[in-house]
Amino acid sequence: ARPADDVATAEERELYDGPAVLRVGDVDHTVRVRLIGHLEPIDGQYHWQGAIFGEIADDVLKRPLATLTVEGRTAQARITERTPQGNYGVVGVGTPPFG
């Protein structure tokens, strides 16, 4: 086992880059996502984060709680920000929608 203060290496992180469905309120958005995650030894939970690429309304930041579905797997997510490039950040804790 690694020491608790050790950070997950790139090989230990899971990566997903592909299509997804972002559901905000009762509206589904077909998007592409790039997600990465790792098991956090400090709290014992899986943390994942990434970027959402696609056309979605700017008002999603007013309702940042969402679900993200990848290949039939759905997870609770939170939209965090709009980047200068026009993409959105997304984070989640627990079982990810990929893997």
Side-chain angles (χ1 to χ4, degrees), residues 13-16 34-38 46-51 89-92 98:
R13 293 177 180 260
E14 294 184 58
L15 175 68
Y16 173 79
R34 182 174 302 134
L35 305 170
I36 191 165
H38 70 281
Y46 194 86
H47 291 252
W48 55 273
Q49 64 185 25
V90 63
V91 298
F98 63 96

Side-chain angles (χ1 to χ4, degrees), residues 6-89:
D6 193 11
V7 177
T9 65
E11 297 79 33
E12 294 170 314
R13 293 177 180 260
E14 294 184 58
L15 175 68
Y16 173 79
D17 190 336
V21 175
L22 176 71
R23 184 173 189 87
V24 180
D26 58 357
V27 179
D28 288 344
H29 304 274
T30 300
V31 296
R32 184 175 71 83
V33 294
R34 182 174 302 134
L35 305 170
I36 191 165
H38 70 281
L39 182 63
E40 177 58 57
I42 293 172
D43 65 9
Q45 296 190 72
Y46 194 86
H47 291 252
W48 55 273
Q49 64 185 25
I52 301 168
F53 305 92
E55 293 296 320
I56 55 178
D58 279 339
D59 65 353
V60 298
L61 293 175
K62 294 178 185 171
R63 299 179 66 185
L65 298 180
T67 60
L68 197 59
T69 303
V70 173
E71 299 173 351
R73 295 178 63 171
T74 300
Q76 296 295 316
R78 186 170 52 87
I79 301 167
T80 58
E81 66 184 346
R82 183 174 179 140
T83 68
Q85 296 81 18
N87 307 317
Y88 290 86

